[in-house]
Amino acid sequence: MSSSIGIVGIGAMGRNLALNLILKGHTVSAYDIDSDQLQQLQNENSNIRTFTSLGHFVDSLAKPRSILLSVSSHLVDEVLSDLLNFVEKEDSIIDGGNSHYKLTQTRQVLCEEKGIEFVGLGISGGPKGAKTGPSMMFGGKLSVWNRLSSLLQSIAAKSKEGLPCIDYLGDNGAGHFVKTIHNGIEYADMQLIAETYEILKRCNSLGNEEISDIFKKWNQGILSSYLLEISAEILVEKEQDRFLVDLIIDKAAQKGTGRWSSEIGLEYGIPLDLITIAVQQRIISSHKDKRVILANLYESNHSPTSVALEDLASAYLFARLLILEQAFNLIITVNTDQSWKINGGKLVKIWENGCIIRSSLIHQMSKLEEKDFSNLLLNPDYQEIIQHGLPSLQKILSSTITSGVSSPLFSSVMQYFLSITTSRLPSYLIQAQRDYFGSHGFERSDRTGLYRHKWLD
Ligand code: 6PG
């Protein structure tokens, strides 16, 4: 019997997606060059058909074929060009990795020239989510979505209402674009939790267990999120009598999706400084040697000024709201430019469960109307979060500065909010400077058109 889907690459994600598919009653073929890995997968579930020959793998699939690539993003082109030797018109190749959406667009054109459908499928939830139910972001032809949706929906995470956390987001890279911004939000949320932890540790002199307890308490209400939940668990993980977290070197790695988010923000002229600051902090963290040298010279010995937990909680929620506000602005802008089918309601449904950024705040956004997503800060519910968060954030920043504790994301939240809510910024001086040295011109409030001043006369 032919398999309903084939998976190329059975690393942690691919093997778990295969197991998930088999559990949901689908027939699966798996291809990998590593025969030991294939044997292990066979041992785990003998119904999965395994192949080390790409040709035999492709032949084992029902037509039109559906082939899911679960390979590192740098291998996609190589695997794709091998596969194109075997697939036939109307077959679909689905890239389930974290690829840049522009590469997905190029690959789709290349495949379509040969009559092959190409899909960019963002998959979130890590290997565990892949097995139990990932959140998925589909970008490709609507006809391909119509053909694949029931299979993909069957393995997706389910929302509280039982709806599958997957949807059609448009053609040409829409899925990978949304997955990239999902990851950008993930970067910012992680940085925010790390800063919150550091404030509790250094300003309030609390230990890992106490901070874990605070995170667990926060995780019972509107502040709750998957990332906060796992952070509470991480903080109390021990090896012998030592906390594991205290043994981990403070250099955060990155594979690129956070940076791509920032680059897209710059390209489209949408402020994305909260995600960008999180990317920058990973970069700064990687400069460990320099930091150690400079810490010997400059690290502060200020006595810590503690923060009130209610203030930290309010500032934390305020920050999370602004991270999402910036991300939604970018998504809406790019969606319009690319004529995709993304909307806020779909994203909230997809991100409700299974993905890394799932949280109460996102869940509650399911109540919003579509127009609310284009300016979250105008919504009355969020105005309350801001009214509480703003004075709290002021107090948090004053404590971190006097205590000498780095809190760049919290600071950026304040600076972004101050700027975006200032009706007249000093940017008019920048316009004057540009005109003075470059005769670039400026618009005036008392005239129409572009005006150039004769500064030097
Ligand atoms: C997810 C994750 C996943 C991966 C990140 C890690 O949604 O399941 O985002 O895709 O863990 O890409 O990214 P960094 O290595 O850049 O932190």
Side-chain angles (χ1 to χ4, degrees), residues 98 123-126 179 182-183 186-187 253-256 282 356:
N98 282 326
I123 303 182
S124 179
K179 178 57 171 49
H182 163 285
N183 283 22
E186 175 184 300
Y187 272 56
Q254 51 177 320
K255 296 205 196 84
R282 290 203 190 186
I356 304 296

Side-chain angles (χ1 to χ4, degrees), residues 350-366:
I350 295 173
W351 292 344
E352 156 120 25
N353 199 5
C355 70
I356 304 296
I357 63 167
R358 61 188 187 259
S359 65
S360 288
L361 191 58
I362 288 183
H363 171 64
Q364 291 208 350
M365 287 182 176
S366 55

Side-chain angles (χ1 to χ4, degrees), residues 80 102-114 116-120 139-141 170-174:
L80 189 58
K102 289 186 180 172
L103 274 177
T104 301
Q105 292 177 328
T106 308
R107 289 167 183 152
Q108 184 170 346
V109 171
L110 177 87
C111 286
E112 278 173 4
E113 280 165 7
K114 299 178 192 305
I116 309 295
E117 304 292 355
F118 190 77
V119 171
K141 285 264 175 315
D171 201 358
N172 261 336

